[in-house]
Amino acid sequence: MDDFLAARLQMAFSLGFHIVFACIGMVMPFFMTVAHFIWLKTGKAVYLDVTKAWSKGVAIFFATGAVSGTVLSFELGLLWPKFMEHAGPIFGMPFSLEGTAFFIEAIALGFYLYGWKRIHPWFHWATGVVVGVSGLISGILVVAANSWMNSPSGFDYVNGAYLNIDPIKAMFNEAWFSQALHMCVAAFVSTGFAVAGVHALMILRKRNVLFHSKAFKIAAVFATVAACLQPLSGDISAKDVARRQPAKLAAMEAHFHTEKNAALIIGGIPDTAAKEVKYALKIPGLLSFMAHGDFNTEVTGLDKIPVADQPPVAVTHYAFQVMVGLGMAMLGLALLYFIALWKKKQWLRGRWLLKLFVIATPLGFIALEAGWTVTEVGRQPWIINGIMRTADAVTPMPGIRYSFYLFTAVYISLSLIVTFLLYRQIAMVGRLYDSEVKPQND
C-alpha cells in the first residue's frame, strides 16, 4: 500500500466512523427533549424514564463524537498539509464557529445532565433544546466547510496564488445549502430508524413494552417524516450537482455519452472500457428532467470530461444506487407507518410492521455512508474542485500506512466500546422494569 492510498483510506475510515457518531449526537437530543416535553406537560412517568435513558445515550455519543471529530481535525494537518496551507485561511471560519457551537453544546449538556431537581424544570428542558440546536448548527458548519471543497469560492486563484480572500463568501458557497439540508435530513432518517428499530426489537421480545412503545413512537415519527422529506432534499442536491459538478453527476449515473433526452439509469454494471452500463433499467428522458427540469436538456457525459479529471465511475455509481435504493425503501416504510397511524390502526398492533422497522435499523446509516462516498469519491481527483488535486495535497512524510493501521485499530476499539455501553444501557433498562413493578400512566 503506497502512502497516498493509505492517507485516503485513513481519512475515509475516520470520516466513516465519525459521521455515524456525529449524526446520532446531532439528532438524539431532539428525541430526548420531545420525551421530556411530554413528561412536563402530562406528568406520565414513562416519558421521564425515556428521557433519562436517552440522555445517557446522548452523553455517550457526545463524548465519542468529540473524540472522533478531534482526530479528524488533526488528520487534516497530518495527511493533507498542502491543502491546509492554502485552504485553511479561506474556509477556516466555519471550523472556528463550529468550535464555538461545540462549547455551547458541551455547557448546555452539562446543565442538562446534572440539572435534575436543581434548576427550574422548564429551564432544564430548554438546556436540552440548546444541546440539540447547537449540535445541529455544529453539523451544518462542518458541512459548509466540506461544501466549499465541492464549490470553492471566496478567493481569486491567480498564477497558483490565493488572493482576495473572503471567508464569509467561502462559507456560504453555492453548495452549502443543498449539502447541509440533505445531510441534516439524512441524520434524522438514519438515527430515527436506528433508534426506532432497537425499540421495536424490544417490543417484539416483550421487554418493558410500555416504555419501548413510547420511545418507538417518538423515534418513528421523526424517522418517517424525515424519510418523506429526503427525496425533496435529494432533488435539490442533485440539481445543484448537475449545474456545478457535471463530472460527478455523470459518474453517479454512469452517464458515458453527452446527449439530450438522457435516460435515468437504475442499477446496472458500468463497463468503463466499453463505455456502457450493462443490465440496467433505463427510463428515457428522466435524467434530463431530474437534473435540469426539462426532458430535452442536454446532460454532460463522461465523454466531455478529460480522462484525468474523471471520478471513479463504478464506486460512485454503486454508492449512489445504494443510497437512492435504501432511501426509497425507507420512504415506503414511512408511508406504511402513516397509513397505519391514520387509516389502519390495527397495523400498529401487528408484529409485521415492527419487524420491518427492525430490518430497517441499519439502512439509514448504510445510505448515509453511501451518500458520503458519492460526495467524496465523486469529487476526485480533486480535493478542491477544479483547483487542487488530491495527489498534490498529500503529505510527503513516509510511513503513512502505519498511521492508517493505528487509527483503524483505535476506531474499531472505540466502536466496540460504544456498542458495549449502549448494549449495557438497554439491558439495564430492561432489568429495571423486570425487577420493579411500578404503576405507569398510559
Side-chain angles (χ1 to χ4, degrees), residues 50-103:
V50 172
T51 302
K52 289 189 174 182
W54 277 347
S55 69
K56 293 175 182 177
V58 168
I60 291 170
F61 282 103
F62 176 82
T64 52
V67 171
S68 58
T70 301
V71 171
L72 275 171
S73 65
F74 283 119
E75 285 180 338
L76 282 172
L78 172 69
L79 302 177
W80 314 104
K82 292 293 184 182
F83 168 71
M84 291 305 294
E85 176 187 351
H86 297 290
I90 305 173
F91 83 148
M93 178 172 285
F95 278 127
S96 62
L97 292 176
E98 190 274 336
T100 302
F102 173 79
F103 286 129

Side-chain angles (χ1 to χ4, degrees), residues 36-350:
H36 194 167
F37 178 84
I38 297 173
W39 172 65
L40 289 174
K41 294 295 288 185
T42 66
K44 295 178 180 178
V46 64
Y47 289 105
L48 175 61
D49 296 330
V50 172
T51 302
K52 289 189 174 182
W54 277 347
S55 69
K56 293 175 182 177
V58 168
I60 291 170
F61 282 103
F62 176 82
T64 52
V67 171
S68 58
T70 301
V71 171
L72 275 171
S73 65
F74 283 119
E75 285 180 338
L76 282 172
L78 172 69
L79 302 177
W80 314 104
K82 292 293 184 182
F83 168 71
M84 291 305 294
E85 176 187 351
H86 297 290
I90 305 173
F91 83 148
M93 178 172 285
F95 278 127
S96 62
L97 292 176
E98 190 274 336
T100 302
F102 173 79
F103 286 129
I104 294 172
E105 183 183 5
I107 293 168
L109 183 60
F111 271 106
Y112 192 84
L113 293 176
Y114 299 103
W116 292 101
K117 298 181 181 180
R118 293 183 175 91
I119 55 180
H120 190 277
W122 284 106
F123 179 77
H124 183 213
W125 172 80
T127 62
V129 175
V130 172
V131 173
V133 172
S134 56
L136 194 62
I137 291 173
S138 179
I140 290 172
L141 289 167
V142 170
V143 173
N146 178 268
S147 67
W148 178 84
M149 298 164 67
N150 291 313
S151 179
S153 60
F155 65 96
D156 294 324
Y157 188 64
V158 182
N159 297 324
Y162 297 78
L163 307 174
N164 304 321
I165 293 172
D166 184 348
I168 300 294
K169 187 176 180 180
M171 183 167 67
F172 295 108
N173 57 80
E174 291 186 1
W176 85 269
F177 175 76
S178 61
Q179 275 197 220
L181 177 64
H182 198 53
M183 182 64 218
C184 289
V185 177
F188 277 94
V189 172
S190 55
T191 304
F193 275 106
V195 174
V198 170
H199 290 292
L201 180 62
M202 294 298 104
I203 296 169
L204 289 171
R205 292 180 175 179
K206 301 187 185 303
R207 300 290 298 273
N208 183 23
V209 173
L210 178 62
F211 173 91
H212 289 293
S213 295
K214 300 302 184 185
F216 167 80
K217 187 171 184 179
I218 293 172
V221 168
F222 271 103
T224 51
V225 170
C228 293
L229 296 175
Q230 189 68 316
L232 301 177
S233 70
D235 180 66
I236 294 171
S237 184
K239 283 181 168 59
D240 179 69
V241 168
R243 181 173 56 85
R244 292 182 303 94
Q245 294 178 284
K248 178 184 286 188
L249 179 70
M252 288 161 56
E253 287 291 336
H255 184 61
F256 289 100
H257 304 287
T258 301
E259 59 183 350
K260 297 181 179 180
N261 196 37
L264 179 72
I265 295 175
I266 300 175
I269 301 175
D271 185 341
T272 53
K275 300 186 184 305
E276 64 178 6
V277 184
K278 299 177 180 178
Y279 316 115
L281 173 64
K282 299 182 179 181
I283 305 176
L286 192 55
L287 179 59
S288 291
F289 178 77
M290 294 181 70
H292 301 290
D294 187 338
F295 287 100
N296 293 314
T297 301
E298 182 177 272
V299 177
T300 301
L302 289 165
D303 57 349
K304 288 286 186 74
I305 310 296
V307 175
D309 295 342
Q310 291 181 11
V313 177
V315 174
T316 308
H317 177 70
Y318 292 142
F320 181 67
Q321 295 295 310
V322 168
M323 179 188 69
V324 173
L326 294 180
M328 291 298 100
M330 289 182 286
L331 174 61
L333 180 52
L335 295 177
L336 282 176
Y337 186 68
F338 288 138
I339 293 171
L341 287 177
W342 293 333
K343 296 290 185 181
K344 301 286 186 179
K345 298 290 186 181
Q346 67 273 19
W347 289 5
L348 298 174
R349 297 186 291 273

